[in-house]
Amino acid sequence: MDDFFAWLEDGPFADAIRGTAYLYPMLESIHIIGIALLVGPAMAFDLRLLGLGRQKLRVTAAANYLLPMSRLGFIVAVVTGVVMFVPGASLIADRGSAPWKLGLLLIAGLNILIFHRGTYRSVADWALDRATPMPARLAAAVSLASWSGITVAGRFLAYT
Ligand code: HEM
């Protein structure tokens, strides 16, 4: 793996990123905009699953409105994240926060998969003014915790 990271950061793509004035801070800014688009709507959906606005807003309407935004934000965060990773691959991969960020990303992804393949299939029964089933509440809690953790680990990535 170390060889691969060294190959990445010594390559022409890494050179181009390092050699372009203001590119890195622009990537960081777009990364944050992606995070806002990803984490904001995801958390709003999680709060709906936990019961907020349950008399007014169908879970399905919340999902249809919020989750595509979240997916777009995820793509923006991943693309900018990978581009920022390349020029400092060895250093960044070596940081203590890196496995946390990656591990929590995997947990968040697995949680989404389990939720959509499981409880969400019966959403018609609890979409409006009904108590959300316990597995869906659990999925919301895991989601809130993992996206928060990824954000903290991401911030730590610049330091340690
Ligand atoms: C595969 C996906 C991702 C990769 C490869 C990635 C990688 C990176 C890299 C290389 C940095 C810059 C660290 C530095 O300045 O030295 C960073 C910053 C950051 N990342 Fe990510 N990231 C990804 C996804 C995410 C996601 C999904 C979130 C949040 C939910 C996130 C949150 C953050 C935060 C908060 C920062 C600090 C930004 C700043 O203060 O400038 N990242 N990320």
Side-chain angles (χ1 to χ4, degrees):
M1 212 57 183
D2 287 353
D3 287 348
F4 174 65
F5 292 146
W7 174 80
L8 270 184
E9 65 194 12
D10 292 339
F13 186 58
D15 271 348
I17 296 163
R18 274 189 295 264
T20 309
Y22 308 120
L23 181 58
Y24 203 88
M26 281 313 293
L27 287 166
E28 281 185 313
S29 307
I30 301 168
H31 197 58
I32 292 168
I33 292 168
I35 293 161
L37 208 57
L38 157 68
V39 177
M43 287 189 166
F45 183 64
D46 293 336
L47 291 174
R48 173 60 190 86
L49 289 180
L50 290 175
L52 207 76
R54 91 176 202 193
Q55 280 136 357
K56 293 184 216 133
L57 182 63
R58 278 184 185 282
V59 175
T60 42
N64 292 340
Y65 179 58
L66 295 169
L67 300 185
M69 267 187 245
S70 218
R71 268 176 229 127
L72 178 65
F74 182 73
I75 293 167
V76 173
V78 169
V79 171
T80 49
V82 170
V83 177
M84 287 192 293
F85 177 74
V86 172
S90 307
L91 196 78
I92 295 171
D94 221 28
R95 295 215 161 111
S97 49
W100 282 94
K101 188 164 174 178
L102 194 66
L104 286 166
L105 268 168
L106 290 176
I107 290 172
L110 211 63
N111 185 47
I112 291 169
L113 210 71
I114 293 168
F115 172 70
H116 283 279
R117 300 243 163 122
T119 338
Y120 193 68
R121 285 177 187 273
S122 66
V123 67
D125 301 336
W126 44 272
L128 192 67
D129 209 8
R130 293 272 189 288
T132 313
M134 195 43 86
R137 285 168 189 248
L138 189 67
V142 171
S143 172
L144 285 169
S146 50
W147 291 120
S148 304
I150 295 161
T151 307
V152 173
R155 198 71 261 276
F156 268 72
L157 208 54
Y159 302 97
T160 179

